[in-house]
Amino acid sequence: MTVPDWVTHAIWWQIYPLGFVGAHPAEPAPGPHEHRLRRIVEWLDHAVELGASGLALGPVFASRTHGYDTTDHFRIDPRLGDDDDFGHLVDQAHRRGLRILLDGVFNHVGTDFARYREAVESPDSPAASWFRRRGGRFDTFEGHGELIALDHDNPEVVDYTAEVLRHWLGRGADGWRLDAAYAVPDRFWAQVLPIVRREFADAWFVGEVIHGDYAATVTASTFDSVTQYELWKAIWSSLNDGNFHELDWALQRHNDFLATFVPMTFVGNHDVTRIASRLDDPRHLEHALVILFTTGGIPSVYAGDEWAYRGVKEERRGGDDAVRPEFGARPDLRADGADVLRLHQYLIGLRRRHPWLHSATTTPLLLTNTQYVYRSSAGADALVVALNTDDAPLVVELPDLGVGSGVVVAGSGAPPREQVDRAEVAAHGWLVIEPR
C-alpha cells in the first residue's frame, strides 16, 4: 500500500461545520435556503495564511442532531445547504490549494436512516439484515439509543459504504476520516477500502482509533493512518504533571508506529477539551505546539486553537457545545491570542521548510521530569528541540549531547543567533536548534 505523495506535505485545519456556521445547536434550525456551508468559504484564506494545506471537515451529511447520527450519506445536511453549496466549497478550497477531508460515520446510523425505518416497520424484511442485533433487539453504539449499529458482516453494507466513499471522492473530496473506526471490525475496512482505491488511488483514509495497537489496526484494516490519541494525551499530561518521562515513552511508541505508518497528530479536536483549557500553566501552550510541529506525523489544527480559544468538554448531553462554537467574524484578538496565532504560523512555516519532519523519529538527548531535549531526524536531516518547564534555566551543552554545534532557529524569548555550541533555555521556555 502506497500513501499518496500529497500527504507528506499535509497540514490540516479542522472545523466542525454544524457548530462553525451556527447550524447546531440552533432553534429554529436553519434551512437549506440559508446556504450556511458557504460561510466556510469566507475562512479559506485564513487557512492558507495559517499555513494549512487542507481543510478537514466534520460531518456534513443529513442528520437529526450533531451530524454523527447520519440519516442520508448522499445528501448534504439541509441545515448547511445543498449539493451546490458543497461543490462551491470544494471548488474554492481547491483553487487555494487546499485538500478536502470528509468525516464519514459507518459504524452506526441515526434512527431516521431509511433502511432502519424499514427494518423497524418490517423486522423480517431484507433491510433488517443491515443492522446488528443484541438480545433480540437492534444494537446501538455505546448504549446511545439514537445511534443504531450497522452489521458489518453484511455484504450490502460493505457495498453501500464503498459507494458513499466513491461518490464524494468523485465530487471532489481528497480523503476520509472514518469515525468510530475503533468500533468497526478491521476486516470490514479491508473489504471496503480496496474497492474505493481501485477508482481513487490518490485518496487518503484515516481511522478514528483511540486505544490499542495502532500499527496492527492499520495493517489489518488497510487504513493509511489513524488518530494519535496516545501522543495527544502524553503532551498535555506530561506538561501538567511535570513528567517528561511520559512524553518520552509516548514518543518512543510513536517511533514504532512511524515504522509502519504516519499517524494523524493533534493537540485539539472537536471531541476533546481545548488545549488552552486543558493545560494548567498557560506558559506551556507553546511547548505543546512545539512538540506537535517538530515530531513525525500529519498535524491537524482545530479551528480556534490558533487563537488559544478555550472550551471544556463535559460528559452530558450538549457537553460538546463549548468546544464547537459558532465562528462569525475574525476574533478581536487579545495580545496572547495574537501571539499564539503567530506561533502557529511560524511553527507551520518551520515544518514546511523541513518537510522531512513528516516521518521524523525522535531520540532523547536529555531527560528529567521538567527538562527534555530531543532530536527529531530523518536520514541526515535533524532538529534539536529543548523544552524547559522548570523554574530554573536549562543550559544545553551541544557537544555533550553529541550534537557539536548548531543554529537557534526558533525559541521563546530568544531570537535566532549565530552558530553556537552552548545555549540557554529560559525558565518555562523552549528552543529549536538546527545542527551544523
Side-chain angles (χ1 to χ4, degrees):
M1 186 174 65
T2 303
V3 175
D5 289 341
W6 63 265
V7 178
T8 61
H9 302 282
I11 298 173
W12 298 104
W13 188 56
Q14 186 217 346
I15 69 172
Y16 173 74
L18 288 167
F20 192 91
V21 303
H24 176 79
E27 186 62 44
H33 61 281
E34 296 189 33
H35 305 285
R36 292 205 180 190
L37 196 62
R38 294 184 180 238
R39 295 186 185 181
I40 298 172
V41 174
E42 301 169 12
W43 287 84
L44 296 180
D45 289 339
H46 165 72
V48 173
E49 293 165 6
L50 182 66
S53 61
L55 178 67
L57 294 170
V60 296
F61 309 118
S63 71
R64 290 182 63 185
T65 60
H66 46 58
Y68 291 101
D69 53 342
T70 314
T71 59
D72 188 345
H73 292 89
F74 291 101
R75 182 187 181 201
I76 295 299
D77 195 307
R79 294 171 293 175
L80 296 176
D82 55 29
D83 197 69
D84 287 341
D85 297 325
F86 176 80
H88 178 67
L89 173 59
V90 171
D91 175 69
Q92 291 299 310
H94 286 171
R95 285 173 182 265
R96 292 166 171 81
L98 295 169
R99 300 276 180 170
I100 294 288
L101 185 71
L102 294 180
D103 195 350
V105 190
F106 301 102
N107 175 67
H108 51 268
V109 295
T111 52
D112 282 346
F113 187 70
R115 282 180 179 80
Y116 178 66
R117 300 312 315 162
E118 182 181 348
V120 170
E121 295 168 6
S122 304
D124 296 325
S125 68
S129 67
W130 275 52
F131 306 99
R132 194 169 66 231
R133 292 180 182 267
R134 182 189 297 269
R137 297 185 175 186
F138 291 117
D139 200 3
T140 60
F141 173 57
E142 297 182 349
H144 299 287
E146 68 278 14
L147 304 178
I148 310 303
L150 289 164
D151 185 342
H152 298 99
D153 289 325
N154 185 333
E156 291 184 15
V157 176
V158 172
D159 292 342
Y160 174 82
T161 302
E163 183 182 2
V164 173
L165 298 181
R166 293 199 312 266
H167 174 80
W168 294 105
L169 290 170
R171 293 283 287 108
D174 298 283
W176 285 87
R177 173 192 178 271
L178 301 168
D179 182 73
Y182 58 87
V184 179
D186 292 337
R187 63 181 180 276
F188 174 78
W189 301 116
Q191 295 177 76
V192 170
L193 297 185
I195 297 172
V196 181
R197 285 192 174 100
R198 283 198 291 268
E199 186 176 351
F200 297 97
D202 206 36
W204 183 69
F205 302 91
V206 55
E208 184 201 14
V209 179
I210 300 175
H211 307 295
D213 187 337
Y214 292 167
T217 296
V218 167
T219 299
S221 65
T222 72
F223 293 150
D224 293 306
S225 182
V226 296
T227 50
Q228 225 305 25
Y229 271 93
E230 281 190 14
L231 184 57
W232 161 79
K233 192 270 181 183
I235 290 173
W236 61 259
S237 179
S238 65
L239 291 169
N240 280 350
D241 295 346
N243 181 16
F244 275 134
H245 293 276
E246 178 185 0
L247 176 61
D248 181 67
W249 184 90
L251 285 174
Q252 300 319 304
R253 285 264 296 171
H254 193 62
N255 288 344
D256 294 338
F257 301 146
L258 287 163
T260 302
F261 72 99
V262 179
M264 187 178 195
T265 53
F266 57 94
V267 294
N269 65 32
H270 65 295
D271 279 330
V272 300
T273 291
R274 286 191 180 270
I275 188 66
S277 294
R278 177 72 75 172
L279 292 172
D280 296 335
D281 189 330
R283 292 174 294 183
H284 298 160
L285 177 59
E286 295 188 12
H287 299 70
L289 298 175
V290 171
I291 297 164
L292 175 65
F293 290 113
T294 62
T295 54
I298 300 165
S300 175
V301 176
Y302 182 47
D305 283 356
E306 69 268 38
W307 289 294
Y309 274 20
R310 302 183 70 85
V312 176
K313 176 184 173 71
E314 299 178 8
E315 296 302 326
R316 59 173 178 81
R317 184 174 292 275
D320 294 314
D321 295 349
V323 297
R324 302 173 178 180
E326 181 176 1
F327 280 60
R330 299 284 183 94
D332 183 13
L333 294 177
R334 300 168 300 164
D336 54 350
D339 287 344
V340 173
L341 174 60
R342 284 192 291 266
L343 181 59
H344 272 85
Q345 291 171 319
Y346 185 85
L347 291 172
I348 290 173
L350 177 71
R351 193 174 187 94
R352 282 178 168 263
R353 292 190 298 275
H354 299 83
W356 52 267
L357 281 166
H358 170 77
S359 56
T361 56
T362 56
T363 304
L365 303 179
L366 183 153
L367 176 61
T368 71
N369 285 339
T370 55
Q371 297 177 330
Y372 186 34
V373 181
Y374 61 86
R375 175 200 288 262
S376 282
S377 62
D381 296 306
L383 291 175
V384 173
V385 180
L387 306 173
N388 185 18
T389 60
D390 201 274
D391 291 332
L394 164 64
V395 176
V396 179
E397 300 283 357
L398 295 176
D400 293 346
L401 300 179
V403 176
S405 63
V407 173
V408 176
V409 296
S412 56
R417 297 179 288 174
E418 298 298 322
Q419 189 161 325
V420 297
D421 56 16
R422 183 180 188 274
E424 182 174 299
V425 186
H428 301 277
W430 57 275
L431 290 179
V432 179
I433 301 168
E434 187 166 5
R436 294 294 170 88

